[in-house]
Structures are given as C-alpha cells and as structure tokens.
Amino acid sequence: MSPAIYAALVGSLFQNPAPMFAGAACAAIAAVMTALKTGNELLWPCAALLILTGAIRSFDMAKYKNRHTELTAGEASRWEVRYQIGAMLYAMALGAWCAIALLMSDDAVAHMICISVTTGYVAAGAGRTYGRPWIFHLQILLTCGPMAAAMALHGDPYYLGMALLTVLYFLGLKMITTSLQQIFVRALIAREREAALAGQFDTALNNMPHGLCMFGADGRLGVMNYRFSEMMRLPTDFVRRNVNAADVVAACVASGTMSPENGKTIISEIENSQASAIVTADPDREYGRALSWTFQPMAGGGTVLLVEDITERRKAEARISHLARFDALTALPNRLSFRDEIERLLAISNSASRLSALLFIDLDQFKQVNDTLGHPCGDRLLCIVADRLRGMLRPDDFVARFGGDEFVVFQQNIQSPEEAAALSRRIVERLSERYEIDRHLVEIGASVGIALTSRGMTADNLLKNADMALYRAKADGRGTFCFFRDEMAETVEARRVLELDLRKAMANEEFELFYQPLVNLKSGRITTCEALLRWNHPSRGTVSPIDIIPVAEDMGLIVDLGRWILRKACMECMKWPEAVSVAVNFSSQQFHQRDILSEVRYALEVSGLPAHRLEIEITESSLLRNTQWTHDALMQLHSAGVRISLDDFGTGYSSLSYLHNFPLQKVKIDRSFLEGIDTDRPLTLLRGVARLSADLGMSVVVEGIETNEQLELISADGTVTEAQGYLFSRPVSATRIHQLLDASHGRHLREGNVKVLPSRSIA
Ligand code: C2E
Ligand code: MG
Ligand code: MG
C-alpha cells in the first residue's frame, strides 16, 4: 500500500466529526436516562466516561479537520494511534454501560435503551471507520462483546436469542466494513493512477517543443499547453477562462503573433475537422518567424492543433541550399549552380538565336603561391581574383568558381567572337596585375579557353569545348586565351585513343628497348649503351618515346612502364662485355616515386648487374622538384654505386648550381648545342660548359653527333670524354647492339688497341 493511500485511509476516519459528536451526545443522554431509570449508581460513571471520551474525540476530529497540509505517512500513523485510543476507550465505556445495565437491572426500558443505542452507534461506526476495519472490529468486540455476553448471562431464552443475533450482526458488520475498505482502497488506487497519468500528460504537454491546443466538438478549448501560450504570447490566466477557438485566435491576433488573415484560415481549418497542415509567417517581418500548424481531428469530434516554430529549420535549409550553390570562400556561384544557370541561359539564347561565349579561366602559378605562402594566402588570392572578375563584368554576365583555381564566365548576347576575345584579353591582363596579400607582393597569370554557343549546344558540351581551348591556351605558353576549334576535339579524341592503346600495349608487351652506344673519344670504345624506348604499333608505326612518356606520366602508367624498362635494360646489359654499362632514362615523375631506391636495387638484384654498370639519366626538371628529397635520393643511389648523369643539359634552366649541388657523375650536353657549332660563339659556349663540368670531376658527353666535323670540333680540346650520335650508331635493337658490341670488343681483344673509328659509322 502506498503511503498516499495509507494516509487517505487514515484521513477517512476523521471525515465526519458532526455525526460522531451527535452519536456521542445521544449515547451520553441514553446513559443518563438509564441511570435515572434504574437508579443504579454504577451507570453514572459510565455516562461520565461516555461524555468525556465523546468530547475528547470530537475535539480531536475538529483539530484534524483544521489541518491544512497534506497528511504524510508519519503523521497518518500518529493520527491513527490517537483515533484508535479514543475509539477503544469509547467502545469500552459503551460495553461497560451495556453490561451494567443488562446485568444489574431488570428494567426492560433501560435494556431497550442501551441495546438500541449501542447497536445504532456500532452501525454508524461502520460508516465511519471502514477505512481501518481492524480498529472497527476491535471496537465492536469491545462494545457488542460485553453486551452479547450480558444478554446471554441474563437467563432469559429471548435474551440469549438476542445475544446470538448480536454475534451475527457483529459478523455481518465485519464483512461489510472489510468489503467497504476494499472498495475504498480500489477507488484510491484508481485516483492515484489517474493523478499519475494526469501528471505525466501534463509534463509531456508542457515540455514538448510544439504548442498544443485541443478543442472539443463544441469548439471549446479543452487543453492548451504552456508552450502554446508562450509562443503566441497569451496572458497567463487565459486558459482558465472558458474560451473557444475563435477566442484563442483573437487573443493571438491581439498579441501580435498572428495576422487576422492567418487567424481566419486557422479557424476555418479547426472547423473543417480534417487533417491538414499550413505554414504561416509572423506578421512582424523583422521577427520573421515561420510557424507550422497541424490540424488533426479527434475520434469523438474536436480538433488537436499543433504549432511548431520552424524559423531556425527554414534558415538552416536556406543556409544549406546557399552552401550547396555558392562557393563558401569567394561567395561566387559554384559549379552546380553555374551549370544550372548555363542550362537556363542557353535555352534562352538558343530560342533567341543569340551568340554567347563561355570563358574558362585558369590561374597560372597558383599552386606555387599556395606552396610558398601557404593556403590562407592562396585563399585570399582567390577572393581577390573573384572580386576582380566581378568588377569587370556586365550585369548580364555570369561568373562562377568552378573549383580550385578555375573560374568560368558566361558572356551573354555578344555581337561577335571579338567581344569574347576582348573580354578574355582584359581578364588575362587584370588577373596578371600584381596582388598584395599580407604584405607579400604576388604575381600570377591567367589562361582563358573560349567556347562560343551554337544552336542546340548543351552546357556540358560548351564546358568541354572551353576546357579544351583552355588546355591549348596553357600549352601555348599560358597567360593567353584561345578559342575552341573543332580540331581540338580531334586532338583530345586522338589522345584518348592513344591512352587506350598504351594500356593495351602495356598488357600485350608491345614495347621494345633500342640501344644507342656512347663512345669514349680517347679509347674509341663503346663504354655505355643508352636504352631508348620503342613502341611498334600495328597501325601507328613506330611511336616516339617523346609522345609516349608524357602520356604515360599523365595516366600514372609511368611507374609500371619505367619498372619494366629498368629491369629489361639491366638484364640486357648482363649479356654485354663487362666494360659496357647501360644508361636508363628516368622521367621526372618516375624519379620522384617514393620507392625509387628499392626499385633500382631490385632491378640490379634480379638481373645480377653490378651497380657500377648502371647509369641513371635524369633531366633538370627532376632536380627542380622537392630539392632536399631529390638530393637525398641521389646520394643514396650514388652510395649504392649507381652512376647518375644529367641528360639534355642546356635545354632547361641549365643552372650551374645543379652541377655543384647534386652528386652527378656525368653531364650530357644536349644536341641543340651543336647547332651552328662551326661558328665561334656556340663552340665557345659548349667548350666552356664542357670544361666546367670536367673541372667539377664529371665526365662530359655530347649528344647528337652526326658529322665528322662536329666530332672534330668537340674533341679538339680534349674536355669532352664521350660522344653519342648517329655518326657512331642510331639506336638499334638488342640483337643488333649485341652484335656491335661483340664486334667492337672482340676486335679489340684480338687486335690489341684497335679503336672503333669515330669517322666511320659502326651501325
Ligand atoms: P634522350 O635521353 O636525350 O635520348 C636521346 C635522343 O636523341 C634519342 O631519341 C635518340 O634517338 C636521339 N639521338 C641520338 N643521336 C642523335 C643524333 O645524332 N641526331 C638526332 N637527331 N637525334 C639523335 P629518342 O629515342 O626519340 O628519345 C627521345 C627522348 O625520349 C629521350 O631523349 C628521352 O628523354 C626519352 N626517352 C627515350 N626512352 C626513354 C625511356 O625508356 N624512359 C624515359 N623516361 N624516357 C625515354
Ligand atoms: Mg637520355
Ligand atoms: Mg638527351
């Protein structure tokens, strides 16, 4: 039994002080009457006791009634004890009165008075004490017990019969009070449960994020939660008034949280009694609140109205949609919205047969800014670029950031392609002007690809064309613009086919290595053979490595291809005389792969080639990138015994610092140095570079020797150690180089120091 129910049961004992007082007064008068009637003096104390205890109990009850707080379990237990003492005393007084009157007198009137009053009092007690039946049962026992016993002892059979009837009466009352108590307890439990449910409902209603109102079938307001009155700024006592839907709406309008028009809509939705939902805007525009109203009919008639403040959600949705369509950095439209916008504008210009141009802009050297000054500076630069672009366009034109350092401009309704060219020229110039970012002066360039619209052109095609034109503009040396032409698409297509073919060639092992000898000018002997890639394509014929290598680099195929070349060249070298080394070209990207060292070691290991017979040819572009890493990698290769030569020297930056800073053993002076060698200046230049390299301890090779005159000129002062060129041999197949080496080295062995004469081609 819960403390609350126990307290309620105890409380029920004190509910009716007036009948209790009246009963006590009646019993006292009856006792006095019996004392007077019988003259038995013992009845006076009984009457006095009845008056006294009756008065005390009535007083106690009144005291209980005057309490104003809820009864706690502890208090209830104390009040129960007080009630119990009073009830027992009173019952004993009644019992004693009956016993004395019945046993000590033969007065039938007195007998009738005491029996009827006691029986009546007990019956009334059943209606008062059912909450704690055991008190009542004890009370009957103390009252009816002496009365029944006295009647039984009277000797008269009728008195005996009455005694028996009293016992039965006692038992009947006992059962009645027990079941009354059960009914009462059940009612209390139900009330308690109801109160708990109401409490939960109340908590739920007042803690939900929605405002809620329930209107009955008659339109009267049944329930309104706190959130609703708070949201609609209603007066606090509003709910207590007996109001209907129209009153609620009128109060909302009065508080300024609902416009009269919205109010009308809401009343009609409530009256409609159909599930529906609407969204209303706050009449106060500055407040800008959006409310979502849901109307749900109830089973027995009436409507539940839910209102939710969706302002934040709406704002978040707007933010998300803005983020999805605009670039967060530059606040320009992004690729997605640009594409949609272009589709729209294209549809208009297609129908009006107007000419428009798409300008695809790419910043040159932007990566360097990012790499050297850091990304925050790069970001600032992009913002300024965006501002400059915005400032240059007509209101009709549309600019977007396409991604990274790429921007696109849609130039609408132009008269001729020249207008697009003029804008592109201005864009290139404006974006190439100096920028000041965080006290750094930054200079970048821009390249522009232009595609013109034509009938039926889609946004994707336009973008693709502009992209191809941009590619060409960049290839043309950057800082310029270029219009799309149909043959560009052909070039792109050709490149795509080449890529496909290359993949197939890789899988089908269609590649071959040719070898070209490097001849020592003093001994006249072949010291090294350079491995050169050949691809014999069934329909293209022999494809130059100059065309293959860049594509393979772009496709990421260079790593696999390079690995194959290296291993093949090492294995081939194993078949050659010991004095002959193999030179393998490494492209810049291939050289910068992380595991270059293990690649080289592995190739040497599987072929069995000693490291000193391998020469790796790198170009200046390989030295440009990632200098420290490059230096370390070269040092490690050098320590492993592999030789490094710098290929095509004189075609790139020709920085003399490379010769000094990196562990190079050989410098290969490019063929271009031989142009005009018969005049003074180029020869002086070549000799100067050769001498410098020789002085730094490197052997010097001149590539591309085709004539005896060239050979004589370069070998005159003795600084050039080796020469390579068609004069000695073109690049030849593995079989052929084998034969050549056999011939030259065999002859050398047989005939002593017989040189391969440079004046005669050996191939
Ligand atoms: P390179 O490393 O400078 O190779 C020398 C190029 O000059 C070869 O062209 C060779 O055939 C050519 N050559 C040699 N002597 C003469 C001459 O007297 N006159 C003329 N006109 N040309 C001569 P090739 O084989 O077409 O190779 C071109 C470039 O392709 C090579 O230049 C090299 O940079 C690259 N390459 C070739 N094979 C490979 C390779 O296996 N891997 C890598 N990464 N690059 C390679
Ligand atoms: Mg080379
Ligand atoms: Mg070269």
Side-chain angles (χ1 to χ4, degrees), residues 618-692:
I618 53 171
T619 52
E620 284 174 282
S621 57
S622 300
L623 303 178
L624 268 176
R625 270 167 60 186
N626 217 347
T627 331
Q628 188 54 47
W629 184 91
T630 308
H631 185 268
D632 295 349
L634 288 177
M635 280 312 276
Q636 281 166 314
L637 285 170
H638 178 58
S639 333
V642 175
R643 280 179 295 156
I644 320 282
S645 45
L646 186 60
D647 203 358
D648 303 342
F649 189 75
T651 53
Y653 291 82
S654 311
S655 167
L656 296 178
S657 69
Y658 293 144
L659 304 182
H660 170 64
N661 290 336
F662 294 99
L664 306 168
Q665 281 81 55
K666 197 180 262 187
V667 174
K668 295 181 78 176
I669 298 173
D670 191 71
R671 179 154 57 87
S672 54
F673 269 75
L674 296 176
E675 280 167 27
I677 188 113
D678 37 2
T679 56
D680 262 2
R681 275 169 69 89
L683 184 63
T684 316
L685 190 65
L686 190 143
R687 282 190 179 151
V689 172
R691 190 163 309 119
L692 186 85

Side-chain angles (χ1 to χ4, degrees), residues 26-39 43-44 47 97 107 109-110 113 117:
C26 289
I29 292 167
V32 171
M33 278 164 65
T34 51
L36 290 172
K37 182 78 176 50
T38 58
L43 289 174
W44 287 108
W97 172 46
D107 192 303
V109 174
I113 291 173
V117 167

Side-chain angles (χ1 to χ4, degrees), residues 10 67 84 103 122 185 234 236 314 336 354 374 391 393 425 427 474 494 509 515 564-565 567 599 605 614 640 740:
V10 172
R67 295 174 52 264
Q84 188 186 332
L103 285 175
V122 166
V185 167
L234 298 180
T236 36
R314 286 239 160 151
L336 179 78
R354 293 204 201 110
L393 303 177
R425 200 173 294 120
I427 287 177
K474 283 166 131 184
E509 295 185 9
Y515 299 90
W564 176 84
I565 293 168
R567 291 183 192 171
E599 283 288 344
E605 211 175 287
L614 173 65
L740 278 180

Side-chain angles (χ1 to χ4, degrees), residues 516 530 533-534 565 585 587 647-648 671 703 706 726 731:
Q516 188 182 30
E530 178 174 3
L533 185 67
R534 294 293 177 264
I565 293 168
N585 292 286
S587 82
D647 203 358
D648 303 342
R671 179 154 57 87
E703 302 182 284
E706 291 182 358
Y726 293 170

